Amino acid sequence: MALDPHQEDFQRLSLRYAATLDPGDPFGMARKAEEFSRRFVQKRDSLPQTDDDRAFGLVAQAAQLIDYELPFATAVSAPQTIREARKLLTEALELDPDCLDARRMIAAADSRTPTAYHDYLVQAAPQVRAQCERARDAALAGARGSFAELAQASAALAMRPYLRWMAAASSTSLICGRYRMAIDEAREALAIEPGDPADVSYTLALAYAKLEDEESYGQLLASAETTHGAAWYSLARIALLYKQESREEAAREVRHLLDAYPNAGTTLGRQDDLPDGVYARICVTPMSEDELILATSEATVLLQEGCDDHERGSLGSWLANLPEVIEAQERELAADPTLGEEDQQ
């Protein structure tokens, strides 16, 4: 699920390493593959790589700090985490001035508002696409024989920065209330990789629900792999049913979430708003508590529609006060009182 920076770093270097091997020696290649994995973990710098690869390795480190550590940092440690991440991204651009992920992540930090960040993404998108397509074409040039498969894999990775660019544009459009743009940008990302490694289908589901476009939502659901991201599709469906005043059907969908996800009552009751991933949507385990927490946070655009003095919209208030949600939350807190600790701080 989602785009894991460390996995992509591994893929980039493994492709570079594989290109140095002799395809006519399968046993030797097997030994070398084992050696690569060990060196990647223990001595990454000893592997064959370009400055572009080194820059991406720094981006992966920065992504770990920003997306996976900073949200849980204390007020004391957060500034240092931010400084370390910016230093890594700056070093990445020094190694590779065309490192698109580093450029985008710095822009996200420096933009004063989501609208300013989205405007930056939109304005730069054509140049970003052209740069990634040149890298893709270079990877494919001369691909033949036993190395053709490696070239195809390298070409796919070459387009990933643009995929992340458009995924970020789509999710930011959703936040900014530019729902039609969010849909167009998500569809652009899907055109790049129909397999949807960036999970932009989740953004699409929320945008369709926001626009009350039940037909497009249904078409998306019919083609989606719902073993991943079930929470996003369910929350979008709940919003659609709620707006249609089909409250019993909406409640039935809520009960499905309560049955499917651990501690769902607490998650749906609290409706925490989390910072979005900067490198990409953060990686969570399918059907886990974390997945529902992330989906509920991204569904804030639906839950807080018509926000009241208590910072809850009509749907969010209805959901939090649904008897099934209240009962589930009470059971969960009784089983694990630490679930309520954040509310008491």
Side-chain angles (χ1 to χ4, degrees):
M1 180 177 176
L3 297 167
D4 184 334
H6 298 293
Q7 181 185 55
E8 189 161 329
D9 186 33
F10 182 92
Q11 291 171 332
R12 288 172 63 105
L13 293 192
S14 65
L15 289 169
R16 187 83 60 191
Y17 189 71
T20 68
L21 304 180
D22 178 7
D25 179 13
F27 295 107
M29 289 184 71
R31 289 194 300 273
K32 290 291 186 178
E34 184 177 344
E35 177 189 346
F36 169 82
S37 297
R38 176 176 51 78
R39 286 172 63 184
F40 180 83
V41 173
Q42 299 176 358
K43 297 180 180 180
R44 182 188 181 282
D45 289 342
S46 70
L47 291 167
Q49 56 193 292
T50 64
D51 282 346
D52 294 3
D53 297 326
R54 294 184 180 89
F56 189 85
L58 295 173
V59 166
Q61 293 179 49
Q64 177 67 31
L65 292 173
I66 298 169
D67 290 348
Y68 296 91
E69 296 183 21
L70 184 59
F72 307 101
T74 65
V76 174
S77 64
Q80 178 60 29
T81 301
I82 293 170
R83 285 193 295 270
E84 289 179 11
R86 181 174 283 272
K87 182 173 181 291
L88 289 166
L89 294 173
T90 301
E91 290 177 0
L93 285 173
E94 289 171 355
L95 281 169
D96 175 17
D98 292 327
C99 183
L100 296 170
D101 288 303
R103 192 189 304 170
R104 177 176 56 81
M105 292 167 74
I106 288 176
D110 290 345
S111 297
R112 287 177 169 265
T113 64
T115 299
Y117 179 46
H118 182 255
D119 290 344
Y120 166 81
L121 293 171
V122 170
Q123 291 165 12
Q127 293 78 23
V128 172
R129 176 165 191 156
Q131 179 181 323
C132 289
E133 287 177 341
R134 286 194 297 271
R136 176 201 63 195
D137 293 344
L140 292 173
R144 55 187 173 275
S146 58
F147 291 104
E149 196 171 320
L150 296 180
Q152 291 289 343
S154 295
L157 288 180
M159 292 300 295
R160 284 288 173 85
Y162 183 59
L163 177 65
R164 285 187 282 274
W165 201 278
M166 296 311 296
S170 181
S171 62
T172 310
S173 284
L174 186 67
I175 293 168
C176 295
R178 300 172 175 176
Y179 308 123
R180 297 291 179 190
M181 289 188 73
I183 290 167
D184 290 342
E185 289 156 345
R187 287 173 174 170
E188 173 70 15
L190 284 172
I192 299 165
E193 285 204 47
D196 195 18
D199 294 333
V200 293
S201 294
Y202 307 163
T203 307
L204 266 179
L206 299 178
Y208 288 144
K210 190 70 179 178
L211 292 174
E212 301 182 44
D213 187 347
E214 187 171 12
E215 181 180 356
S216 295
Y217 167 80
Q219 292 171 354
L220 175 68
L221 190 65
S223 63
E225 176 50 76
T226 54
T227 54
H228 298 289
W232 282 268
Y233 300 116
S234 282
L235 288 166
R237 176 166 169 74
I238 288 165
L240 285 166
L241 292 168
Y242 181 83
K243 290 179 181 182
Q244 295 166 359
E245 298 189 3
S246 300
R247 302 297 164 80
E248 182 50 44
E249 285 187 70
R252 190 179 303 118
E253 190 70 27
V254 173
R255 290 193 289 273
H256 170 72
L257 285 175
L258 293 172
D259 291 339
Y261 285 91
N263 297 320
T266 302
T267 299
L268 297 176
R270 286 173 44 165
Q271 300 171 23
D272 292 330
D273 191 6
L274 306 177
D276 290 334
V278 177
Y279 171 79
R281 177 180 275 113
I282 64 172
C283 302
V284 290
T285 303
M287 305 309 298
S288 67
E289 179 181 1
D290 287 342
E291 180 176 82
L292 183 58
I293 290 172
L294 181 60
T296 304
S297 174
E298 291 189 21
T300 294
V301 295
L302 301 172
L303 299 173
Q304 290 188 2
E305 192 175 67
C307 191
D308 59 18
D309 292 339
H310 300 288
E311 297 188 353
R312 272 202 172 138
S314 175
L315 174 59
S317 181
W318 173 82
L319 180 60
N321 291 292
L322 201 64
E324 296 95 318
V325 172
I326 293 173
E327 292 170 8
Q329 187 170 13
E330 289 174 349
R331 287 196 305 272
E332 292 157 11
L333 289 173
D336 183 4
T338 64
L339 290 173
E341 286 182 354
E342 186 172 325
D343 289 334
Q344 299 168 6
Q345 291 177 358

